[in-house]
Amino acid sequence: MAYDLTITGPARRTVFEIKGDPSALGSDLLPPWPDRPCRLTRQDDRAFLWLGAHRWLLIAPPDHEDGLDAALSAVHHPDASVVLLSDSLAFFTLSGRDADVAMSIACPLDLHPGAFGPDACAQTDGFGVRALVLRQGDGWLLAVEQAYAPYIAAQLAQIV
Amino acid sequence: MLLIECPFCGPRAEIEFSYGGPAATRRPDDPAQVSDADWVDWLTVPENRAGPVPERWCHAKGCGAWLTVLRDTRTHDILDVRHGA
């Protein structure tokens, strides 16, 4: 069976991991805080994800990296740790009418819009490895550790 | 398949978690003062009773938190989940 599915990637994005208290970094650099765990906010092509009790991810386009790195590096604070993870994660985008079906094969979460809305995000299982899942437009963004990118690409290719 | 209610992430499938062993017995404060027999008992003879048992689980593919899960070994019902040990 052929699915109406377009897959792009693996691609690189700007990713910063923030641990501790992100308010220590000031409000100019980050989108507003998500109001609940496993939720994200978006601002200026940047997404701010709350993924753990004291862990956030800032995801931005690749060309934002130098500017963000300089700005975040300039804000040293003992209550917040900022680590550049852009080289650690590989991003795949899934779009098309059957993108939801493909994601239901990849991951065990209930991804129905009623349970996983546009502002939801999750670290979960994707084809057996740790994966980051969030909606993007009418499709999905799936990120895994860089080393697993060829494996994920092969799994997605099997679906198509 | 167990469905474990992570306090941070909500209900998640068992495959997102790693089992971390029984949580009932406390590690001896000073292993050098424990007899070999007691040390082996602590290390390799976990309690295995029928009924609710506290276990450690790590939400390895999710938020990364260590949880203490009270699981009924007769029914696999998850009776309680809390952060930490």
Side-chain angles (χ1 to χ4, degrees), chain B residues 21-38:
Chain B
T25 52
R26 187 165 179 269
R27 186 179 191 275
D29 290 332
D30 185 359
Q33 300 300 315
V34 177
S35 71
D36 287 352
D38 288 346

Side-chain angles (χ1 to χ4, degrees), chain A residues 37 51-52 123-125 128 130, chain B residues 8-9 12 15-16 60-63:
Chain A
L51 293 172
Q123 290 230 261
T124 181
D125 181 280
R130 192 183 200 196
Chain B
F8 185 84
C9 304
R12 294 295 183 90
I15 58 171
E16 293 190 13
K61 290 179 181 170
C63 62

